Amino acid sequence: MQFLTPLLATLAVLASNAHATNFTGDVLNGIPVISYLDLADVPARTVSRYYLRVGELNGGSALHIPVFVARGTPESLDTGKKLSLSAAIHGDELNGVRVVQRIFEQLQGQISTLNGTVIGIPTVNPMGIYLNQRNYFTASGSGFFTNVNRVFPGTPSSEGGNGAQLLAYNIWNNVWGNKSQVDVGIDLHTPSSGGETSLWCYADFRLPYVERLAKLLQPDTLKIDVGEPGSIETTFVDNKIPSITVEMGLAKIWNASLIDRTFDFVNRVLDDLRIVPSNTTEVYQPDLSNTYIATTFHEAPSTYGGFVERLVFVDEPVTKGQPIANIRNAFGDILETIYSPEDGRMFQSPRDPSIEPGSSAGEIAYNSTDPACEDGCIF
């Protein structure tokens, strides 16, 4: 017993610290590195910055992602809401990065009266950003790419998880606390390289508050959708955390007007959740006069490789059978004309004129009469 007593005491201390913020002792660019975040350890009335160690590359180099935490008044960790903002899970989708940066610049001046907590990850996928494309590169087996937004909540390396799956696992468990540190999630995207849209979102209306969240965006197109398995949005929703995926314009370009609109949206959410002080008790009524709400996306693929000549542009109305694009060969001959499959709206159009067989020459948004599409379909 004389041996067991100090051992048990040591284990009790370790157990009490098991969920405390774990500082690795490293400092990167003057910012402390952590491997686990506990919001209770973050200073109140402060915007804090951390680097989260999310794994290692082949050869042993450490991989980190930046994390903001704006924690308000001491009591608001229990009484206020906790909002997560994430961006650039696809490395070429960069508009959301500036939104997250601007929100935390603003929160710096509001922090003393903030009634809640905001977590921000401006660059979820540093590997994709470095390689100037959407996916996470893993070197094993001569190298392959993984879409990180299909592997949440991730897999630890001890269970065979690759770099992308480990990244997702560490964010889900060590920042979002396996859902305990987030009440509402917003994941910011753009279309992948080559496609053009305006401002739109995916929203699973089956979970309360998601519809409200989507309408606060005041998007050009609102897609009712059950979400993609393994995405941030779907993982949150599966765990009863309201979340939407916001899509903003073109890849690899900071679009000032869409950044402004999304920044304003996040502020409406902060007000709606009563995280920031409000000058009114009235509930905000979203302006949906320019919003097209659709249940169905329908891609129109090209049969041939060649060059797309767009005949209809983003957000323009279309009728069933209307020509929306020509596919031309290298001599300029029209190989094929692409027609709209239904009445609706041109939701996404290829900005890159070169096209492969089977690739989209345009995507139409509309409302299907099929009851199976009530919660959303993609064809």
Side-chain angles (χ1 to χ4, degrees):
M1 292 298 294
Q2 290 180 342
F3 170 75
L4 290 175
T5 299
L7 174 60
L8 291 173
T10 300
L11 291 174
V13 170
L14 290 174
S16 67
N17 291 330
H19 298 292
T21 297
N22 187 348
F23 290 87
T24 67
D26 298 329
V27 176
L28 182 62
N29 299 327
I31 295 172
V33 176
I34 61 173
S35 60
Y36 179 86
L37 175 70
D38 184 343
L39 294 179
D41 295 333
V42 177
R45 295 191 173 97
T46 302
V47 175
S48 299
R49 298 180 178 187
Y50 306 101
Y51 275 107
L52 178 77
R53 181 161 176 158
V54 291
E56 296 79 36
L57 306 178
N58 60 325
S61 298
L63 186 66
H64 305 87
I65 60 169
V67 179
F68 287 107
V69 182
R71 182 180 167 192
T73 60
E75 65 277 6
S76 70
L77 188 59
D78 298 315
T79 61
K81 296 294 186 181
K82 297 182 282 292
L83 174 67
S84 169
L85 304 175
S86 52
I89 192 170
H90 295 136
D92 57 345
E93 302 182 8
L94 303 178
N95 272 328
V97 174
R98 186 62 189 134
V99 175
V100 177
Q101 292 171 345
R102 285 182 57 188
I103 286 295
F104 281 88
E105 289 170 4
Q106 170 189 294
L107 291 175
Q108 189 71 59
Q110 300 172 310
I111 196 66
S112 63
T113 56
L114 203 67
N115 179 39
T117 307
V118 185
I119 298 173
I121 308 177
T123 54
V124 172
N125 181 5
M127 180 67 75
I129 295 173
Y130 174 71
L131 293 175
N132 201 29
Q133 53 81 48
R134 67 188 271 111
N135 295 313
Y136 185 105
F137 176 77
T138 303
S140 301
S142 298
F144 61 92
F145 291 96
T146 300
N147 183 347
V148 188
N149 209 35
R150 297 295 183 272
V151 299
F152 273 82
T155 307
S157 53
S158 60
E159 297 178 10
N162 63 22
Q165 293 166 327
L166 179 60
L167 170 71
Y169 177 87
N170 282 326
I171 292 172
W172 177 253
N173 290 281
N174 297 340
V175 175
W176 295 329
N178 192 11
K179 76 185 181 181
S180 67
Q181 301 198 128
V182 179
D183 295 315
V184 174
I186 298 171
D187 192 31
L188 303 174
H189 292 244
T190 76
S192 296
S193 297
E196 179 182 17
T197 68
S198 51
L199 182 65
W200 64 280
C201 67
Y202 288 111
D204 187 346
F205 280 14
R206 297 173 301 174
L207 184 67
Y209 195 68
V210 170
E211 181 176 353
R212 170 71 175 167
L213 195 61
K215 290 180 176 179
L216 284 171
L217 177 62
Q218 301 175 173
D220 299 302
T221 300
L222 194 168
K223 173 64 166 70
I224 299 172
D225 197 80
V226 297
E228 292 282 356
S231 69
I232 287 175
E233 173 206 349
T234 302
T235 304
F236 275 139
V237 170
D238 286 347
N239 285 274
K240 310 303 180 187
I241 297 171
S243 179
I244 63 171
T245 297
V246 177
E247 304 271 359
M248 311 164 57
L250 289 166
K252 296 194 282 192
I253 294 173
W254 270 1
N255 182 312
S257 65
L258 294 186
I259 289 170
D260 286 346
R261 287 179 65 186
T262 308
F263 173 79
D264 291 342
F265 155 65
V266 176
N267 271 293
R268 288 192 288 271
V269 174
L270 289 169
D271 181 77
D272 204 57
L273 297 175
R274 295 295 185 256
I275 292 176
V276 295
S278 179
N279 296 322
T280 179
T281 58
E282 295 183 8
V283 176
Y284 182 82
Q285 299 301 319
D287 178 3
L288 301 178
S289 57
N290 295 315
T291 299
Y292 185 78
I293 300 177
T295 61
T296 306
F297 283 168
H298 197 136
E299 279 194 334
S302 172
T303 304
Y304 304 97
F307 301 89
V308 180
E309 178 186 23
R310 300 193 295 174
L311 304 177
V312 180
F313 297 89
V314 170
D315 291 340
E316 291 183 352
V318 294
T319 58
K320 185 175 181 178
Q322 176 183 343
I324 61 173
N326 290 324
I327 308 300
R328 295 183 180 270
N329 64 17
F331 295 99
D333 305 320
I334 295 177
L335 302 176
E336 180 182 22
T337 297
I338 307 296
Y339 301 93
S340 175
E342 296 288 344
D343 294 346
R345 175 185 281 200
M346 177 61 78
F347 145 72
Q348 182 164 271
S349 180
R351 187 63 176 262
D352 184 347
S354 63
I355 192 168
E356 296 177 304
S359 293
S360 176
E363 194 165 2
I364 307 301
Y366 64 95
N367 285 290
S368 174
T369 57
D370 186 345
C373 292
E374 180 181 2
D375 294 319
C377 287
I378 296 178
F379 298 118

